[in-house]
Amino acid sequence: MTGRQRTVLGLGMALAASLGIPAWLGGSQVFLHIGRTAPWALVGAPVLMFLAWCVNGLRVRYLLAINRHSISYTRAWLIAAGGDFGGALGPGLLTGIGAYVLLTTRAGLASFTAVALFTLEKLLDLSVFFATLVVSITLLAWLAPGHVPWYIPITAVALSTVLLTAIGLGAGGARTILRGSAGLMGHVGVSGKFRRRWLRWGLGFRRDVRRVMAQPPHRLAVLLTLAAGYWSCRFAILPLLAAGLGLSVPWPYLVLVQVLAVFAGQLSVLPGGAVSVEVLFALLLAPWIEREMLGTLLLLWRASVFYLTLVGGGVAFAGALGRVR
């Protein structure tokens, strides 16, 4: 089976799961409740996703600008939305980083510079996640005391801390990782030519990751603000849809659910974090929402984030490949 066939198969399984689980939860009532959802919520959810890409386009353009690569905002927007499309095609960060590197190298960046910028973006994203979790948990303790199991906030903060530390140590310990990987290649019989190319690439990445991490505070502040703007738009989608369905769930809890869903999506082998995202979503919201309404909310949320990324992000990805030089 070719790589393209595996991608198509995985995407088909992901779509089947992300459609089948809400249908199983809500049954025939799902579409009835969708028809009763407030129009402003149905329109507002995809608009928020579009605004998230607009903010992320600013981040891409700013990142490339501080690396002396000037591109138009339109091209930066295509890279931002196309990168999300790549991330939705596979498990974890693998396809996401592949799409980001492909599109940014077409804009003139070296591949090791693109990976260094991607590393900085993920560190900023995790910083936003950590702050979001702390704020959400604090507000929940005030708005809905005793309604959230103690292990949820502790697990969320611990997981974000571990990931943030791992990426930071990985970037800081690039030299050790580089030497270890080259030695391992030698033991398994990888050619010397490939190992030398790998070492040159790794040295370039090590140099660039140090450079991008050493940005002046005002630039890091701008990048962190843009990251916060991007995720704020995305995390506002679920509370908006819940309000449109007339559900009374504290909005900090809905934000917390989305943060945990992003983490769960990285653990799934299917595109878009299928199955793991749906299962976590159902487990966390079942105590708050009736089953048929839960299926409706899950379907609307996945449509606004996952399905829209596959369609709109896919068009942007194709446009970026065709327009970025």
Side-chain angles (χ1 to χ4, degrees):
M1 184 179 292
T2 65
R4 179 176 294 182
Q5 289 173 329
R6 284 194 294 269
T7 300
V8 172
L9 177 61
L11 188 57
M13 293 172 64
L15 288 172
S18 62
L19 288 169
I21 293 176
W24 174 72
L25 286 170
S28 60
Q29 297 295 313
V30 167
F31 297 102
L32 179 63
H33 289 304
I34 290 177
R36 294 175 178 173
T37 306
W40 47 264
L42 295 175
V43 174
V47 168
L48 283 171
M49 193 66 196
F50 178 81
L51 289 176
W53 287 333
C54 290
V55 175
N56 217 24
L58 291 173
R59 178 163 63 158
V60 169
R61 192 181 186 201
Y62 189 76
L63 269 173
L64 268 63
I66 62 179
N67 281 273
R68 297 181 295 279
H69 283 80
S70 178
I71 62 174
S72 69
Y73 175 72
T74 299
R75 293 179 176 181
W77 188 93
L78 291 173
I79 292 174
D84 277 1
F85 167 75
L89 286 181
L93 297 174
L94 296 179
T95 54
I97 190 172
Y100 185 91
V101 171
L102 173 63
L103 297 180
T104 51
T105 52
R106 291 287 289 270
L109 289 180
S111 60
F112 47 78
T113 304
V115 176
L117 294 180
F118 186 84
T119 302
L120 176 59
E121 280 201 17
K122 294 306 112 181
L123 278 171
L124 293 170
D125 287 345
L126 283 172
S127 299
V128 172
F129 284 8
F130 186 85
T132 302
L133 288 170
V134 172
V135 172
S136 298
I137 292 166
T138 302
L139 289 173
L140 276 173
W142 176 48
L143 296 174
H147 284 76
V148 181
W150 62 268
Y151 57 83
I152 291 179
I154 291 178
T155 302
V157 172
L159 184 57
S160 62
T161 303
V162 169
L163 290 175
L164 189 65
T165 304
I167 293 181
L169 291 176
R175 183 177 182 179
T176 302
I177 296 172
L178 188 62
R179 285 180 174 179
S181 62
L184 181 61
M185 289 179 186
H187 284 301
V188 299
V190 176
S191 68
K193 181 179 179 181
F194 182 86
R195 277 184 288 157
R196 287 190 294 272
R197 289 177 59 189
W198 167 248
L199 285 171
R200 285 195 298 270
W201 188 94
L203 289 172
F205 168 73
R206 178 170 170 259
R207 181 190 66 244
D208 272 13
V209 79
R210 285 185 172 183
R211 178 176 58 82
V212 300
M213 294 295 179
Q215 295 297 322
H218 70 277
R219 288 181 176 174
L220 290 176
V222 171
L223 290 169
L224 188 60
T225 300
L226 292 172
Y230 169 73
W231 287 107
S232 295
C233 290
R234 289 196 54 166
F235 291 155
I237 291 175
L238 188 57
L240 178 71
L241 291 171
L245 286 167
L247 301 174
S248 57
V249 183
W251 67 264
Y253 189 72
L254 294 173
V255 172
L256 178 63
V257 167
Q258 290 176 100
V259 176
L260 294 177
V262 172
F263 284 137
Q266 306 306 311
L267 304 177
S268 176
V269 298
L270 292 176
V275 178
S276 61
V277 170
E278 280 78 14
V279 170
L280 179 72
F281 191 98
L283 287 175
L284 293 180
L285 287 175
W288 296 84
I289 306 173
E290 294 179 359
R291 183 167 171 168
E292 63 271 12
M293 294 297 288
L294 179 59
T296 304
L297 181 62
L298 175 56
L299 184 60
L300 288 174
W301 178 64
R302 288 298 258 172
S304 303
V305 178
F306 182 38
Y307 308 153
L308 182 61
T309 297
L310 290 178
V311 177
V315 173
F317 183 83
L321 287 179
R323 295 185 59 176
V324 177
R325 296 291 185 262

